[in-house]
Amino acid sequence: MDQDSLPLVSVITPSFNRVDLLPATLNSVLSQGYEQLEYLIVDDGSTDGTWEWLNCVDDPRVKVFSHPDRKNRGQAASINLGLRYARGRYVVILDSDDLLAGGALAAHVQVMENTPSVGMVYGQGYAVDERAARLYKLFPSSHQEESDPNRLLLDCYIVSPGLCMFRKSVISKIGQLEETFRAAQDHDFVLRVAEVSRIAYSGVECFYYRKHRGTISANGQLSRWKNGFKILERAAVRYPYQRSTLRRRRAVLYFRLGQVYLEKGMYLKAISFFLTCSLLDPRRAIAVGLKGANRAEGAF
């Protein structure tokens, strides 16, 4: 397909105090070789020089935004601001500390153009260290997408929206990200996409999740799992999930809370969550906890 006839892709990056990591993220987007691209970067009230650095970027594809009075309003609000200005047929949401793999945009545009019923496509990703050395891949070679919201709710295997390309028309249908969530809003978002459209797995290497000292703390994990219960309640109202899916998901959330409180040394509270988990689905919760112990912090 001729470059001029390709559909426009909007890449959106929310950024807060990432002046040390953002240059590599930006380079991974601008070096894609995909010409029909706009890169919207929303600064969320940074105080480390990010805003000043962004305003020195000299590339017509890059558009820089901030909230009124440069206030800090959170990641979801920053992404929503980007979405309001995005003109692309397709949207990629990339965190400011992560990277796109070369050719990711072109590969996923082709999937979307060839399968109009797909509202979201995602590919293979790797966790990498601060030097971008690979640590492990995010999906096994046997991974397949069933396009079943029950599986996505239960297993929460899409650890970051950076893996994905979304159809803008589907985003318009489901609405913006939930701004009251300061954690786990990405999981809620992809669930809502899966509830109204097909999702597909390309298998294309497309994304690198950077593990570094700034990744989610124990307090961040606590907010994430507490929000998990809110997401579960809302999902149960929106979509006819299987009752076993809801019960088993609740078990995992209790298990995860138990892990957080155990790490904090709050042993009685941790035990109470582990006991609740054991009444719901002990085998699965423990299996998921052990499997995810050393994996991406964003994983649900």
Side-chain angles (χ1 to χ4, degrees):
M1 186 181 292
D2 186 86
Q3 282 279 3
D4 292 335
S5 65
L6 290 171
L8 181 67
V9 175
S10 300
V11 180
I12 299 171
T13 290
S15 183
F16 175 70
N17 288 350
R18 286 283 189 245
V19 72
D20 55 336
L21 298 173
L22 188 55
T25 301
L26 180 141
N27 183 63
S28 78
V29 174
L30 298 185
S31 63
Q32 284 288 305
Y34 189 90
E35 296 301 324
Q36 300 302 316
L37 166 70
E38 62 173 10
Y39 190 17
L40 292 73
I41 305 177
V42 181
D43 181 71
D44 192 23
S46 295
T47 57
D48 68 341
T50 296
W51 175 249
E52 292 76 12
W53 180 82
L54 283 172
N55 280 280
C56 291
V57 174
D58 185 19
D59 191 300
R61 295 170 293 178
V62 177
K63 303 174 183 179
V64 179
F65 302 89
S66 69
H67 301 293
D69 298 323
R70 295 202 53 240
K71 290 184 177 179
N72 175 264
R73 293 193 53 201
Q75 188 180 58
S78 298
I79 294 170
N80 287 339
L81 180 58
L83 286 172
R84 286 197 287 276
Y85 287 98
R87 299 179 297 113
R89 184 183 303 173
Y90 305 117
V91 173
V92 173
I93 300 170
L94 181 68
D95 286 346
S96 57
D97 52 352
D98 294 329
L99 306 167
L100 287 183
L105 296 183
H108 281 169
V109 164
Q110 184 174 8
V111 173
M112 297 293 261
E113 290 288 281
N114 291 339
T115 49
S117 63
V118 169
M120 179 186 87
V121 60
Y122 66 99
Q124 179 64 278
Y126 287 84
V128 299
D129 64 17
E130 294 184 5
R131 298 181 179 180
R134 294 183 183 186
L135 301 174
Y136 53 83
K137 62 184 179 181
L138 300 181
F139 299 104
S141 300
S142 59
H143 180 75
Q144 294 183 338
E145 178 54 56
E146 300 171 3
S147 196
D148 179 2
N150 282 278
R151 183 185 173 206
L152 185 56
L153 175 62
L154 186 58
D155 293 337
C156 307
Y157 47 86
I158 297 178
V159 301
S160 170
L163 284 162
C164 311
M165 178 176 283
F166 302 94
R167 195 175 297 275
K168 181 69 179 303
S169 60
V170 172
I171 294 177
S172 299
K173 184 175 182 179
I174 67 167
Q176 63 182 13
L177 281 79
E178 178 52 65
E179 295 185 9
T180 62
F181 294 160
R182 286 291 184 121
Q185 64 276 354
D186 46 0
H187 175 55
D188 175 69
F189 185 70
V190 297
L191 267 180
R192 287 188 280 133
V193 171
E195 289 166 2
V196 302
S197 71
R198 284 182 58 208
I199 63 175
Y201 175 63
S202 68
V204 171
E205 184 174 328
C206 68
F207 171 78
Y208 303 118
Y209 172 84
R210 281 196 279 188
K211 294 173 72 78
H212 55 87
R213 286 170 292 179
T215 46
I216 298 174
S217 65
N219 285 333
Q221 290 285 5
L222 183 60
S223 296
R224 181 173 291 275
W225 304 128
K226 285 184 174 180
N227 282 346
F229 284 97
K230 297 177 184 177
I231 291 169
L232 185 62
E233 292 169 3
R234 296 183 185 196
V237 172
R238 282 194 314 263
Y239 188 84
Y241 286 98
Q242 298 170 6
R243 296 176 73 176
S244 61
T245 298
L246 301 175
R247 173 180 55 79
R248 295 168 67 196
R249 178 61 184 159
R250 193 169 289 110
V252 173
L253 291 171
Y254 279 119
F255 185 88
R256 293 298 200 187
L257 284 177
Q259 286 182 309
V260 172
Y261 283 112
L262 190 64
E263 184 178 336
K264 286 174 169 285
M266 302 173 68
Y267 301 116
L268 290 178
K269 206 160 190 177
I271 289 170
S272 70
F273 284 122
F274 286 139
L275 287 174
T276 303
C277 160
S278 69
L279 295 174
L280 294 169
D281 190 5
R283 184 179 301 177
R284 174 183 162 76
I286 293 172
V288 169
L290 292 175
K291 181 179 178 182
N294 296 312
R295 296 290 171 169
E297 288 86 346
F300 268 74

